[in-house]
Structure formats: structure tokens, C-alpha cells
Amino acid sequence: MTPIAPPATPPSERQQTILAAALAVFSEKGIAAATIDDIRQRSAASVGSIYHHFGTKEGIAAALFAQGLDDYWARLIAATGAEARAERAIDALLEAHIGWIVAHPDLARFLFARRQAVSPEYEQAIRQRTAGHFKVLFELFKPWFRQGVLRRLPFELYGPLLLGPAQELSRLWLGGRAQADPRLSVKELSGAAWRSLASDATLAATLPQESP
Amino acid sequence: MTPIAPPATPPSERQQTILAAALAVFSEKGIAAATIDDIRQRSAASVGSIYHHFGTKEGIAAALFAQGLDDYWARLIAATGAEARAERAIDALLEAHIGWIVAHPDLARFLFARRQAVSPEYEQAIRQRTAGHFKVLFELFKPWFRQGVLRRLPFELYGPLLLGPAQELSRLWLGGRAQADPRLSVKELSGAAWRSLASDATLAATLPQESP
Amino acid sequence: MTPIAPPATPPSERQQTILAAALAVFSEKGIAAATIDDIRQRSAASVGSIYHHFGTKEGIAAALFAQGLDDYWARLIAATGAEARAERAIDALLEAHIGWIVAHPDLARFLFARRQAVSPEYEQAIRQRTAGHFKVLFELFKPWFRQGVLRRLPFELYGPLLLGPAQELSRLWLGGRAQADPRLSVKELSGAAWRSLASDATLAATLPQESP
Amino acid sequence: MTPIAPPATPPSERQQTILAAALAVFSEKGIAAATIDDIRQRSAASVGSIYHHFGTKEGIAAALFAQGLDDYWARLIAATGAEARAERAIDALLEAHIGWIVAHPDLARFLFARRQAVSPEYEQAIRQRTAGHFKVLFELFKPWFRQGVLRRLPFELYGPLLLGPAQELSRLWLGGRAQADPRLSVKELSGAAWRSLASDATLAATLPQESP
DNA sequence: GATGAATGAGCATTCATTCAT
DNA sequence: CATGAATGAATGCTCATTCAT
């Protein structure tokens, strides 16, 4: 129903070819600047065929989003859910985030360039889907809030504190403005997230002690 | 020389009118989707006049960038440079960042939606200009690195750790996905930045002590 | 490969319609002044269709050129090659030239208004193609040079001496500055060409003798 | 009154500068493609100034035409009128023609690219002026027609036979398609014109005699 | 006379989308 | 399902010309 719902039938080979071509083009020039003809050339499919399968340029973007977004969040949630301690969970979360981006740079570029989204319904659908995923993730953290391990904050701050630095670094890297493999920075990023979210008490207890 | 260099002559009233109209349109629909005709209608100038002054749609964007980017960084640097202690400087930095964004939401939306930038030279010019500003800011922090107050990290991480959470929150707010006034979160954001960058020793000394 | 190479596939009916319309317009106003919309109206095709088939306004001109130039030279060469004696060959050449122009005045107007050609590559391609055709024609004359029937001259002069007067008259006629059917002048024009090119000896032997 | 009449007042220095710039531009790109702005840049005059002096783009062309056309024909007529014998007159005519073109290639390119002429009145004026000049020239030849030295032909043929080859060669040279200095070909061109126009009897008497 | 900002009709070209074969 | 010709609204940009200063 929602524009970015996953398709009923699994994508045919032809569809996959088109999606791959579209992803490449979207990643290079952004959705708005991408042309059906660009996609046609890359995919060696005909215009007619593309329209037969996806109906609209946005339809292609939607299909890619459905595919990418769910995959990304699934990995995030799986990684986080596998850990029992907050600090480790945050480690795993960041590692999953960065790992996924490095594994799918084109898809990441496409997914995280929100601005491009064209129509409002489309934008709306993405937000809801993302919000839903985030809630699931958030549930995993609730026990630690209750235990006082993590600080209670305005809801809107969790995302930024947890993933903001990683997002910023990822953007640099995806845009070619940072060279080093971001996986090398996972420890720092998760460390920052941990310090930002841990309660003062937990944090004090965790910090390496200076010799007296 | 560079595509986003500030103009030789100060902008005339007409030019300011056009720029204001363009900013509104760009902020609403993004550069790519914005139409010269949109700008014409909003500015009540003729197409010819617009082209007479800016030469290209991108020329308008460039003029806005030159104006906005310098203003933003000037405020950041001024605020930071006024503080003597690292923790206070980071506070001031974040406050300036958020303050500027709240004061110029349209310009901010436009400035921070990097993806839109069209031509490579344009993109290139922005990067260099930004990098230059960042270096100036970075110089202000150097003493604290030397004193061991702040941690030494790979260069690429300073930006993300310092501004990543704030950027993420700003994006949410600018996109209408966060309602609360981001200025209310400055303390949290600067706190996070401080914890991320402070050396363990400094941090341990700063944390509120538990009663023994 | 060259911009005016004949197309791989034979022109469809729609393409022919567009070309005919374009020729009419080009002939009337020249390439530069001709409007895609002029062509659209005359051909009853849509802008999109025109661009689908020819890609550019110049693309249409190129297609016309490829068609016209080859046709013109083929006729010239065929007519000349069919004659065994120099004088008759020159007669046939001029007759073919004038005949073709009278048969295709629009195409001729278009073909011989070289100045219009816009882009350099285009101009270049036309020159090469023309030069090639001229070489073929020139080969047919070689035996007569060897036999001393025709005079040896700087290469650049053959064209002007052979076709210069005819070209000039054609231009007048095509431009409406000469009324009489140019076919009536073929004998004079070929006579002039003959006198210009024949060696003195041959010419003396050919001239009508005065009574002693 | 006519669009290409010579101006009442002699051109000021500023006007001359503009005309020179315009000629350069017209010669390079043709009248149609030339832009007022091109001329403005080359002449370092302002748009306003240009319009103040010439009123229209075509006004500039007209001024150049008036200047060039008269100069060209004056030279032709003077050279021809100075000769007493037909063959010498034709020699002188061709030499003047080629000489003028070599001396003013830009002006020649501009003058002889008739097709460019834009408005009908303009075209009309040029034709009349040219026809007038030609008539004057023709008068000079009349005695030789009466004496039977030159052949009587349809009026429209005199131009082509006399100047056709030279025009064709000039076009090649002006367009860079012929390298050799056309002045080297004057003898051949005038020879051709002479042979084309001389009566058979005269011609027979003139031809170098074969040894008996 | 000179200047250059302003005007707006006009134009080539692009591109998503449709549909007959 | 595939193909690609056809459509036409939309868009960035140009350019001759005007006119207030």
C-alpha cells in the first residue's frame, strides 16, 4: 500500500538488472537528475520494459528503498539484539551501521540523501518506515534506561547522539571527502556514542582509572 | 575566481531581492527542482534581469553559498575564539551552530543539503572553502590538544564528533521531523561533544562525583 | 561516424516527412533562422519525435546534406563518365549540374549556402565529403590532361573554371535574381568552361573558322 | 533613405571602432549568429552606445555594407575604365576584384555571403545598389560589344562569365579551402573570362598560333 | 553621448510517460 | 513481456532592444 512497501512477488532477473542500473545512476547523480534514459542505457532494457515493471521513476526509487532500508535496519537490529550489555550493544550497533555502509556504498548514498525524495507521500512513507524500525531498535535499549545505565533524554536526541557522528563520517566517506576506511573508526564512534548516552555514574565507573 | 567567491561589488537591492526569492525556492524544493520561473515570480524580476546578474541558475546558488557559508563559519569561529577553556569553547561552538541554524533555517537547509550541488567545480569550491574555515577553527583548539585536555584523534573524526549529533538533530528539525526547538538541546549536544573529545583524565575530573 | 554520414537504417516515412519539412524551412529562411517549431508545424510531427530521430537541429541539416550532397555528385559523375570526348564531357557535366539544381531548387539552395553550416565538425565533414566526390570526378578528366586536350592548372582552379560561372548563375536564379530558366544557358556555360580548360591548340582547332 | 545608403555625417572614431568590431564578428560567425554582446565586447563600447549610433543590429550591417559595397565597385569600375582594349580591361577588372578581396578579406567574406542578409528591404536595397554599380560597369563594355570584340549574350550571363570563376576561387580562399594567394591566379581567371566573352573571331585572332 | 540594468518573447532541448506493434 | 516511436509540457537560457540616469 505504502509507496515503498516490498513487492509481492520476488524481483525477476530483468527487474534486478534494472534496479542495479538505477541504483548506480541514482548514486551518481541523485534521483532528480537521473534519467529514465540513463537507466535504460545502463540496464540495456527498453523504456517500455522499465515502465512495465516499475510504473514510474519514483517507482524504481521506491523499490530500491524498500529493499535497502529494510536490509539496513534488519542488520542494525540484529546486531544490537545479540548483545546483553549496553556498551557492547552500542559497539555492535555502530559496527553494523558502518559495516553496512561500507558493504553497500551506492545504496547508502542513495538511502541517506533524504533531500532527494521527490513526492510528499514518498517522503512520508520513508519516514514512517524508518520511525518504525527505530522504535524496534529503541525497545532493545529500554531495559538499560530502566536500570539507569543509560540516561533518559528527549526522544529526538537518541538518534543524533547514537548515530550522528557515524552518519557525519559516513557522509564524508561516501562523498569522497574522507579517505580512511570508516571501519577503522568504529571504536571511536561507538565510544563517543557510549559516553554520550551512558549515565554519569556508569561512565565514571567505566573510565580508565588514573593511578592515584 | 572560485565559483563561490564573494562578488566584487556589493549586491544591489535588486540582487538581494532575487537572492532572497531564490533562497526561499531552493529551500522549498531544492536547487534542482527550483525553476527560474519560480524565482522570477517570487522576486518580481524578469528572467533577463536574473540572468543579467547571476548568469546561471547555479550562479544564484553560488552567490547564496558564498554569502551563507562565510556567515555561518564566521559566527562559529567568533564564538569559539571568545572562550578560554575547552569545555566552554565547545559549548559556545554548539550554541553558535544551533543558533545560526535556528536564525537562518532556509539558508541552513540550503547550505547543508550538499548533495544538491550540481557541477563538480562548484562542489569543489565549496569543499575547499569549508575546509579552509574548518582549519581556522581547528587552530583554536590546538592548545588544548597540547595540554592534553582534548584527545588526539584522526583528523577526519573531529568534525563528526564535534558537530555530528548537532547536524543530525538539525537535519531532523529543518526537515520537520523534530518539533522541539533545538536550542533546548544545546547543552546535551555540547555535553556529548565534550565527552567525545575530552581526554579520559580530564573527563574523569569533570564528571559529577558520586557521593562516596 | 562523420556527422553527415548516411544513416545506418533507411529513413522511415516519418523521417522523410520531417526532412521534407525541414528542407522547405531551411530553404526559406536558412538553417540559423529556421525554428524547430517551424519544422514541427510543417511536418505535423511532435518536437519529441523530431528529436527522437535527429537529436539536434543540426542533425536534421546533416541528414539532408548526406542525402543531397551524394545525390548531386552522383549525377554529376554519372553524366560525365558517360562521355568519351572532353568537350562532350564538359557539356554533360554542366547539363547535369544545372539540371540537378533546377530539379531540386530547395535542396540546392540549402546545399550551396555553405556559410550557414554551424559547427566546425559539421563544416569539416562537408568539406571532406565534397573533396572526395570532386576527386572522383577529377579522375575522369585525367586522360584528357595526359593527351594535352585539357590544360594543366593549379588544382584549385579546376573547380572555379569548370563550375564557377554555372554556380554564379545558379545562385542568381535560386535567389530570384535571374528569371530565365538556367537550362537555356547550359550551352554557354559549358562553352565557357570548355574554352577555359581546353589547351590553346585544341581550342584553335575547335573554333569555328572564319572564311579567309 | 535606403537602408544601406551612406551616412550623412562621416563616422566618428567611436563609430569606426564599433564597425571594425562588428565586421570582425560578422566575418567570423555571420550576421545572424553575431550578437550585439559580441560586438560590445570587441569594441569596448556599451550596448547603449551601439544602439545610439546604429539603431539596430541590421543598422550596423547596413553601415558596413554601404561602406564596403561602394568601395569594392568603385575600385572595379576605376580599374576597368582605365583600359582602352577589351582584353586589358578584363584583366584589370579581375585584378581589381581579386586585389580588393585580398586587401579586405573580412569585408569580402561579409559582402559576398549574401544569404545572411536578414530583412527583405535590406536584401532589396543591396540588390538595387549592386545592380546600379553593375550597370555602370557594363556601360564601359558597350563599345566592345558594338565593335564585335565581345559576344552579345543574355544579360544575366555577363556577371557569371566575367566573375564566376573568380568568385568561386575567392570563396574557397576566404573559407580557407584554398591556400594559394589568389592573386597568382588572376591571369588564369581573366584569361577564362576573356575566352568566355570574346567573339570567336577575336578569340581566334588572339590565340597563340601553332607553328604552321 | 555614454552606460548598463531591465525586459520578455522566443528557442533548442529534455524527459517522463504512453501505447501500438 | 519487450520494444521504441511518439507526445508535448516544461525549462534554462539568449538576445535584440529600451530607457532611466
Side-chain angles (χ1 to χ4, degrees):
Chain A
M1 202 87 318
T2 117
I4 66 159
T9 44
S12 71
E13 199 177 323
R14 169 61 62 108
Q15 281 172 317
Q16 284 296 7
T17 312
I18 294 173
L19 284 178
L23 177 57
V25 179
F26 287 162
S27 165
E28 269 175 25
K29 345 200 323 189
I31 298 184
T35 294
I36 291 290
D37 202 65
D38 290 336
I39 299 173
R40 183 188 61 72
Q41 283 175 41
R42 283 236 196 189
S43 65
S46 66
V47 215
S49 191
I50 295 175
Y51 272 87
H52 176 73
H53 289 299
F54 299 98
T56 307
K57 194 168 78 161
E58 248 187 355
I60 309 176
L64 278 173
F65 243 104
Q67 210 166 70
L69 206 59
D70 291 352
D71 187 56
Y72 166 75
W73 280 101
R75 176 150 172 195
L76 237 58
I77 290 166
T80 309
E83 301 295 335
R85 292 183 40 231
E87 193 171 2
R88 283 297 303 134
I90 290 177
D91 267 2
L93 178 69
L94 268 298
E95 193 184 342
H97 175 84
I98 294 287
W100 190 86
I101 286 171
V102 172
H104 311 94
D106 279 353
L107 206 40
R109 227 180 319 262
F110 172 69
L111 232 54
F112 297 138
R114 217 78 62 71
R115 259 263 129 195
Q116 307 182 30
V118 199
S119 67
E121 315 86 49
Y122 188 72
E123 178 74 22
Q124 187 55 20
I126 294 168
R127 287 189 190 184
Q128 284 181 9
R129 207 170 185 84
T130 303
H133 286 304
F134 190 79
K135 288 250 164 69
V136 173
L137 179 67
F138 190 65
E139 287 300 318
L140 299 176
F141 281 85
K142 278 201 171 161
W144 296 309
F145 290 116
R146 272 191 229 103
Q147 297 159 21
V149 176
L150 299 181
R151 299 157 63 213
R152 292 190 190 275
L153 294 165
F155 185 70
E156 309 173 325
L157 280 177
Y158 292 122
L161 292 179
L162 208 43
L163 289 173
Q167 275 290 44
E168 204 63 15
L169 181 62
S170 302
R171 267 183 239 269
L172 291 177
W173 184 73
L174 289 169
R177 278 168 286 154
Q179 309 304 329
D181 186 324
R183 284 172 296 192
L184 300 175
S185 305
V186 166
K187 271 267 129 10
E188 284 298 342
L189 296 170
S190 66
W194 167 245
R195 290 175 186 212
S196 303
L197 291 172
S199 63
D200 289 343
T202 321
L203 188 54
T206 323
L207 282 180
Q209 297 300 322
E210 278 183 286
S211 51
Chain B
M1 201 89 320
T2 114
I4 66 159
T9 43
S12 69
E13 200 177 323
R14 169 62 61 107
Q15 280 172 318
Q16 286 295 8
T17 312
I18 295 172
L19 284 179
L23 177 56
V25 181
F26 286 163
S27 166
E28 268 175 27
K29 344 198 331 185
I31 298 184
T35 289
I36 291 290
D37 203 64
D38 291 337
I39 299 173
R40 184 187 60 72
Q41 284 175 40
R42 283 234 198 191
S43 64
S46 66
V47 215
S49 192
I50 295 175
Y51 275 91
H52 177 71
H53 289 300
F54 300 99
T56 308
K57 196 170 76 163
E58 239 185 3
I60 309 176
L64 277 173
F65 243 103
Q67 200 164 305
L69 206 58
D70 291 351
D71 188 56
Y72 165 75
W73 280 99
R75 173 147 175 197
L76 237 57
I77 290 166
T80 310
E83 301 294 334
R85 289 183 42 230
E87 193 170 2
R88 282 297 303 135
I90 289 178
D91 266 2
L93 178 68
L94 268 298
E95 193 184 343
H97 174 84
I98 294 288
W100 191 87
I101 287 171
V102 172
H104 311 95
D106 279 352
L107 206 40
R109 224 179 322 263
F110 171 69
L111 232 55
F112 297 138
R114 218 78 61 73
R115 258 267 131 194
Q116 305 184 32
V118 199
S119 70
E121 315 85 48
Y122 188 71
E123 177 73 23
Q124 186 56 21
I126 294 169
R127 287 187 189 186
Q128 284 182 9
R129 209 172 184 82
T130 303
H133 286 304
F134 189 80
K135 288 248 163 71
V136 173
L137 179 67
F138 190 66
E139 286 299 317
L140 299 176
F141 281 84
K142 277 199 174 165
W144 296 310
F145 289 116
R146 272 191 228 103
Q147 297 160 19
V149 177
L150 300 180
R151 299 156 63 211
R152 294 190 189 274
L153 294 166
F155 186 70
E156 310 173 325
L157 282 177
Y158 292 123
L161 292 180
L162 208 43
L163 290 172
Q167 276 290 45
E168 205 63 16
L169 181 62
S170 302
R171 268 183 238 269
L172 291 177
W173 184 73
L174 289 168
R177 279 167 286 154
Q179 309 304 330
D181 186 325
R183 283 173 297 193
L184 301 176
S185 305
V186 166
K187 270 268 132 4
E188 283 299 341
L189 296 171
S190 66
W194 167 246
R195 292 176 186 209
S196 301
L197 290 172
S199 62
D200 289 344
T202 321
L203 189 54
T206 323
L207 282 180
Q209 297 301 321
E210 281 183 283
S211 51
Chain C
M1 204 89 319
T2 116
I4 66 159
T9 42
S12 69
E13 201 177 322
R14 168 61 63 106
Q15 279 171 319
Q16 287 295 9
T17 312
I18 294 172
L19 285 178
L23 177 56
V25 180
F26 286 161
S27 166
E28 270 175 26
K29 345 201 325 188
I31 298 184
T35 288
I36 291 291
D37 202 64
D38 291 336
I39 299 173
R40 185 187 59 74
Q41 282 174 42
R42 285 234 197 189
S43 63
S46 65
V47 216
S49 193
I50 295 175
Y51 275 89
H52 179 69
H53 288 300
F54 299 100
T56 307
K57 196 169 76 162
E58 237 184 5
I60 309 177
L64 278 173
F65 243 104
Q67 200 164 304
L69 206 57
D70 291 352
D71 187 57
Y72 165 76
W73 280 99
R75 174 148 173 197
L76 238 58
I77 289 167
T80 310
E83 301 296 334
R85 290 182 42 229
E87 196 171 359
R88 284 293 306 131
I90 290 177
D91 267 1
L93 179 68
L94 268 298
E95 193 185 342
H97 175 84
I98 295 288
W100 190 87
I101 286 170
V102 172
H104 311 94
D106 279 353
L107 207 39
R109 225 181 321 262
F110 171 69
L111 232 53
F112 298 138
R114 217 77 62 73
R115 258 266 131 195
Q116 304 183 30
V118 200
S119 69
E121 316 85 47
Y122 189 70
E123 177 73 22
Q124 185 56 19
I126 294 169
R127 286 187 190 187
Q128 284 182 9
R129 208 171 185 85
T130 303
H133 286 306
F134 190 80
K135 288 248 163 71
V136 173
L137 179 67
F138 190 65
E139 286 299 318
L140 299 176
F141 281 84
K142 278 201 173 163
W144 296 311
F145 290 116
R146 273 193 226 101
Q147 297 161 20
V149 176
L150 298 180
R151 301 157 62 213
R152 292 191 190 275
L153 293 165
F155 185 70
E156 310 174 326
L157 282 176
Y158 292 122
L161 292 179
L162 208 44
L163 291 172
Q167 275 290 44
E168 205 62 17
L169 181 63
S170 302
R171 268 183 238 268
L172 290 177
W173 183 73
L174 288 168
R177 279 167 287 154
Q179 309 305 330
D181 186 325
R183 281 172 299 192
L184 301 174
S185 305
V186 164
K187 269 267 131 9
E188 284 298 342
L189 295 170
S190 66
W194 168 244
R195 291 176 186 211
S196 302
L197 290 172
S199 63
D200 289 344
T202 321
L203 189 53
T206 324
L207 283 179
Q209 297 301 322
E210 280 183 285
S211 50
Chain D
M1 204 84 320
T2 116
I4 66 159
T9 44
S12 70
E13 199 178 325
R14 168 59 63 105
Q15 281 172 317
Q16 284 296 8
T17 312
I18 295 172
L19 284 178
L23 177 56
V25 179
F26 287 162
S27 166
E28 270 174 26
K29 344 199 330 187
I31 298 183
T35 293
I36 292 289
D37 201 66
D38 290 337
I39 300 173
R40 182 188 61 73
Q41 283 174 41
R42 283 235 197 191
S43 64
S46 66
V47 216
S49 192
I50 295 175
Y51 272 87
H52 177 72
H53 288 301
F54 300 98
T56 307
K57 193 169 77 162
E58 247 186 359
I60 309 176
L64 278 172
F65 243 104
Q67 209 166 72
L69 206 59
D70 291 352
D71 187 57
Y72 165 76
W73 280 101
R75 175 151 174 194
L76 237 57
I77 290 167
T80 310
E83 301 294 335
R85 291 182 41 229
E87 194 172 1
R88 282 296 304 134
I90 290 177
D91 266 1
L93 179 68
L94 268 298
E95 195 185 339
H97 175 84
I98 294 287
W100 191 87
I101 286 170
V102 172
H104 312 93
D106 278 354
L107 208 39
R109 226 182 318 263
F110 172 68
L111 234 53
F112 298 138
R114 217 78 62 73
R115 259 265 130 195
Q116 306 183 32
V118 200
S119 69
E121 316 86 48
Y122 188 72
E123 177 73 22
Q124 187 56 20
I126 294 169
R127 286 188 191 186
Q128 283 181 10
R129 206 169 186 85
T130 302
H133 286 304
F134 190 79
K135 288 247 163 70
V136 174
L137 179 67
F138 191 64
E139 287 300 320
L140 299 177
F141 280 85
K142 278 201 172 161
W144 297 310
F145 290 116
R146 277 193 223 98
Q147 296 160 20
V149 177
L150 298 180
R151 303 154 62 210
R152 293 191 190 274
L153 293 164
F155 185 70
E156 310 174 324
L157 280 177
Y158 293 122
L161 291 179
L162 208 43
L163 289 172
Q167 274 290 43
E168 204 64 16
L169 182 62
S170 301
R171 267 183 239 269
L172 292 177
W173 183 74
L174 288 169
R177 278 166 287 153
Q179 309 304 330
D181 186 325
R183 284 172 297 192
L184 300 175
S185 305
V186 165
K187 271 266 129 10
E188 284 298 343
L189 296 170
S190 66
W194 168 245
R195 292 177 185 209
S196 302
L197 290 171
S199 64
D200 289 344
T202 322
L203 189 53
T206 324
L207 281 179
Q209 298 299 322
E210 280 183 285
S211 50

